Amino acid sequence: MHVAPAGQMAGGRETLRGMNRVAAAELEERGVYRLNSRNLRVGVWVAARGGFLGIREKFGQRYLAFEALREQGGTAVPLERLATWDVPPGVALRESIGTVDSLECRRLRWEEPGWVYADSGLGVPEGVQAVTVGNGPLFSHLDDVQEDLEWEA
């Protein structure tokens, strides 16, 4: 599919196929944006990764996912900044906040050739699984944003 080059508008806004959008140079770290993207409706801008973290729904599951900015090879096009919803500084901008073991929920870290306990450096016993801990604070924040937007519609 061919997409015509974006045209500039005043105030950092651009158009893309007749759609107003926020110019990439105007995106602000921790800013939350309404998006036109394949997988996300709303996302927080993460400059170091060149895209947005937001809530994706797939096969009935909802989870944090990353979508790259269109100019970075992804599908995310920021349409509007939702300034009242910026992510607070204490909330990590990543999908998960760590890994724990499946039995005692002890924090793990990866060291070749496998997982070790972060507190002791000892290897994780066979049969114990590493479990990713989702970023609950970011998920809750973005879920509130989406809920608020649904009430507006």
Side-chain angles (χ1 to χ4, degrees):
M1 164 173 56
H2 176 71
V3 177
Q8 283 284 91
M9 290 179 63
R13 307 286 293 177
E14 297 179 344
T15 60
L16 180 65
R17 299 177 77 196
M19 201 174 22
N20 282 341
R21 61 166 295 172
V22 179
E26 300 296 319
L27 296 170
E28 293 188 33
E29 186 78 6
R30 299 189 165 275
V32 174
Y33 295 83
R34 185 186 314 256
L35 303 173
N36 179 12
S37 94
R38 181 175 179 199
N39 299 311
L40 308 176
R41 284 185 45 219
V42 168
V44 57
W45 173 244
V46 184
R49 293 180 66 186
F52 299 88
L53 280 172
I55 298 174
R56 179 177 183 183
E57 185 169 345
K58 185 175 180 180
F59 303 122
Q61 299 291 317
R62 297 175 71 231
Y63 55 93
L64 289 173
F66 178 79
E67 186 75 43
L69 189 64
R70 178 177 225 135
E71 293 85 346
Q72 301 293 326
T75 67
V77 176
L79 303 177
E80 169 189 13
R81 180 162 182 211
L82 306 171
T84 59
W85 285 104
D86 286 355
V87 175
V91 177
L93 297 182
R94 56 183 186 259
E95 292 92 329
S96 69
I97 56 173
T99 306
V100 297
D101 77 66
S102 59
L103 297 179
E104 300 175 344
C105 294
R106 287 171 61 193
R107 190 168 288 279
L108 302 176
R109 70 173 182 265
W110 179 261
E111 289 183 8
E112 284 297 334
W115 292 104
V116 298
Y117 289 105
D119 57 2
S120 68
L122 297 174
V124 175
E126 191 172 321
V128 176
Q129 296 180 1
V131 179
T132 300
V133 179
N135 187 343
L138 182 58
F139 185 96
S140 293
H141 184 82
L142 293 173
D143 195 38
D144 288 346
V145 174
Q146 288 189 182
E147 187 175 310
D148 190 54
L149 291 177
E150 287 172 9
W151 278 101
E152 287 180 9

